[in-house]
Amino acid sequence: MVRSLALPLTLALVTSLPLAAQPDTQVPQSQAEISLGFAPLVKEAAPAVVNIYAKIIRQDRARSPFADDPFFDDFFRQFAQPRPRVQNSLGSGVILSDDGIVVSNYHVVGEASDIRVVTNDRREYQAEVILADQASDLAILQLKDAEGLPSLGLRDSDEVEVGELTLAIGNPFGVGQTVSSGIISGLARTGTGGGQGFGYYIQTDAPINPGNSGGALIDVNGDLIGINTRILSRSGGSNGIGFAIPANLVREFVRQAREGEGEFQRPWAGMTGQPVDSDLAEALGLGQVDGMLISELHPQSPFVEAGFEVGDVVLEVDGEPVNSPSEMAFRLSVAELGGTSAVTRVHQGETETVEVALMEAPNSPAADPITLNEQTPMPGLVVGQVNPEVITKMQLPLSTEGVVVMDPGPYAGRGGVRAGDLLLAINGEEIAAPEDVANLLMNSGRWMRLDLMRQGQRVSLRFRL
């Protein structure tokens, strides 16, 4: 199947020659133009794509001697001593400025303790992560003592169209820099390959393999349209379905990194929704199957302030279509905090556009996290009050209220308590605020029953203190 694509792609390469000099696509004028293929384009773009070698130190626990015992395994699972394990990660990156700003994937460098970047001409640089976000799978690096480096420009990824020719440049399987060609085969792919709800990808059939992660997906003008991040494959190799993070999100990451942000700041919607299918469209009396139905709104959501209600259908954000929660998250992520976005909705049968303020998830009421000390039966346990900021950071359901475990610490963790658990009661006494946890633990006696809510299920744990 790969061979069957090679000939037509090679013949189409001709369009890249005039495009390197002028924006309009032209028919090849000579046999020489046909034979050159993508060579001029690759010579321009490849020097800005780098190989990345990252070292990640993970704390693994030694295997318990009771690991295969159906009874004792639960009791002894947490008691094995952690030991460090060095994991080497191989990937790619793209230079975006001559002073050494490089973009790659979070899963390549996000947790690395040592990062080495090798350019196309074999120069080596040490690098540090200056901004990373696991949900978006993006990381921005700064190369040390770098200057005068080749770089790629960012294209407006909203202008990309299905059928455009594209090149994927990276370091697949560690064999060295490799270029593969294909077309844009899909746009607005969401929820593909897992992730945490922020997945929104450009799809290409240009072969992408392990090691291509963080590499460049470019158009025939040599502009960056996406960062290669995932493939859809059962074998682990390319099946012609690869995904790239759009350049518009990369642009916002670079802006925030240059402004010194320690974490990626994305506007908070405070809503949940679902795609409008044919049944929903008929029930809502919509003329077409488009948009995202708002199914839940947090009382502090800026959309509530703007007059949105459950049952409204969001059609567009800043003129771009929205058909799923992932698309909504992406559209807000590429907008700047502190401004507004024009959101088109269907409200009570009428289509209208409303300005919505772009704000962070509020820390109100204050989370007031408390870390239990050595005087309590569970030292190291961190608990806090749930609010929109906590809901966002811990990925809790939008309607969550109460006191949440932010970190179980060593002792509560051994007893089965997990981060994200909602604490309901201790020995039957309800927990209303973080400070209640320490007070109730100190007066719990020799035995304690902890009632909590985990993923919608009520759980009771018993401890001997």
Side-chain angles (χ1 to χ4, degrees):
M1 182 174 183
V2 175
R3 287 200 189 96
S4 67
L5 293 173
L7 180 58
L9 286 176
T10 303
L11 293 176
L13 306 177
V14 238
T15 62
S16 70
L17 291 172
L19 281 173
Q22 54 186 332
D24 296 327
T25 301
Q26 295 184 5
V27 176
Q29 302 298 314
S30 67
Q31 182 62 38
E33 290 182 357
I34 296 176
S35 63
L36 280 174
F38 281 125
L41 178 59
V42 173
K43 287 179 181 179
E44 283 289 321
V49 181
V50 298
N51 298 338
I52 296 179
Y53 303 88
K55 183 182 296 183
I56 302 172
I57 299 177
R58 301 192 183 279
Q59 296 293 331
D60 288 350
R61 293 186 178 275
R63 179 177 171 82
S64 167
F66 300 98
D68 297 321
D69 190 290
F71 180 77
F72 288 104
D73 183 31
D74 286 338
F75 290 94
F76 291 93
R77 180 179 301 149
Q78 301 293 336
F79 288 88
Q81 292 297 317
R83 55 188 180 187
R85 176 175 62 89
V86 176
Q87 176 180 320
N88 292 312
S89 177
L90 174 68
S92 307
V94 182
I95 304 173
L96 297 180
S97 67
D98 60 1
D99 60 349
I101 292 292
V102 173
V103 61
S104 186
N105 287 141
Y106 180 95
H107 74 261
V108 175
V109 298
E111 300 175 7
S113 58
D114 181 58
I115 304 171
R116 183 166 56 94
V117 174
V118 182
T119 63
N120 184 252
D121 58 4
R122 300 184 180 180
R123 285 180 289 173
E124 293 191 13
Y125 296 91
Q126 289 298 121
E128 63 175 347
V129 176
I130 57 175
L131 181 62
D133 181 65
Q134 186 174 13
S136 300
D137 197 22
L138 281 177
I140 304 298
L141 306 174
Q142 175 66 65
L143 304 189
K144 296 181 180 180
D145 302 320
E147 59 181 16
L149 295 176
S151 61
L152 289 183
L154 293 168
R155 179 180 170 184
D156 183 350
S157 52
D158 288 334
E159 296 179 353
V160 176
E161 296 181 332
V162 173
E164 286 191 34
L165 288 171
T166 187
L167 295 182
I169 309 176
N171 183 18
F173 300 110
V175 299
Q177 192 176 89
T178 302
V179 180
S180 55
S181 64
I183 63 170
I184 301 299
S185 52
L187 298 172
R189 299 304 194 211
T190 61
T192 305
Q196 304 176 41
F198 296 101
Y200 180 91
Y201 305 112
I202 296 171
Q203 182 180 318
T204 178
D205 70 347
I208 296 173
N209 290 289
N212 271 113
S213 291
L217 188 69
I218 64 172
D219 63 13
V220 291
N221 293 309
D223 292 325
L224 186 72
I225 59 178
I227 296 297
N228 300 321
T229 184
R230 300 180 187 275
I231 59 175
L232 192 61
S233 171
R234 294 181 179 179
S235 65
S238 174
N239 284 339
I241 303 179
F243 302 97
I245 300 167
N248 284 3
L249 185 57
V250 176
R251 180 181 288 108
E252 179 61 17
F253 263 78
V254 173
R255 185 191 69 79
Q256 292 193 22
R258 288 198 178 278
E259 293 182 357
E261 296 288 354
E263 295 181 359
F264 182 66
Q265 306 296 317
R266 58 169 55 86
W268 179 64
M271 70 165 62
T272 59
Q274 64 186 91
V276 173
D277 57 20
S278 57
D279 291 335
L280 269 178
E282 183 178 355
L284 296 171
L286 300 177
Q288 54 189 11
V289 183
D290 286 315
M292 182 197 76
L293 176 70
I294 299 176
S295 54
E296 185 179 11
L297 280 167
H298 192 281
Q300 293 176 261
S301 167
F303 283 82
V304 171
E305 181 70 20
F308 282 72
E309 299 175 357
V310 172
D312 287 353
V313 175
V314 176
L315 300 176
E316 296 179 350
V317 173
D318 293 327
E320 298 296 336
V322 168
N323 292 298
S324 70
S326 292
E327 285 188 68
M328 185 74 180
F330 175 80
R331 290 298 162 200
L332 294 182
S333 293
V334 299
E336 288 190 33
L337 280 168
T340 62
S341 277
V343 182
T344 302
R345 66 169 177 175
V346 177
H347 175 70
Q348 296 180 355
E350 299 293 328
T351 301
E352 60 183 1
T353 299
V354 181
E355 293 291 324
V356 179
L358 302 178
M359 54 177 277
E360 295 181 64
N363 184 25
S364 176
D368 290 334
I370 293 176
T371 302
L372 274 58
N373 58 34
E374 297 291 337
Q375 306 303 316
T376 66
M378 292 184 174
L381 175 67
V382 182
V383 296
Q385 193 75 40
V386 173
N387 62 30
E389 182 180 76
V390 173
I391 288 173
T392 301
K393 288 185 176 181
M394 303 195 70
Q395 299 177 39
L396 301 173
L398 198 60
S399 59
T400 303
E401 297 178 339
V403 177
V404 67
V405 175
M406 295 180 165
D407 187 338
Y411 294 93
R414 291 174 186 172
V417 179
R418 303 176 187 172
D421 287 345
L422 290 177
L423 300 181
L424 304 178
I426 294 177
N427 290 335
E429 296 285 335
E430 291 188 2
I431 298 170
E435 54 268 22
D436 293 343
V437 179
N439 295 334
L440 291 172
L441 281 174
M442 291 298 292
N443 299 314
S444 59
R446 294 184 60 192
W447 289 90
M448 181 192 72
R449 190 187 80 211
L450 179 62
D451 296 322
L452 51 87
M453 186 71 68
R454 177 181 298 162
Q455 297 178 349
Q457 300 293 321
R458 191 180 182 99
V459 178
S460 291
L461 302 175
R462 293 183 63 86
F463 298 87
R464 183 176 179 179
L465 306 177

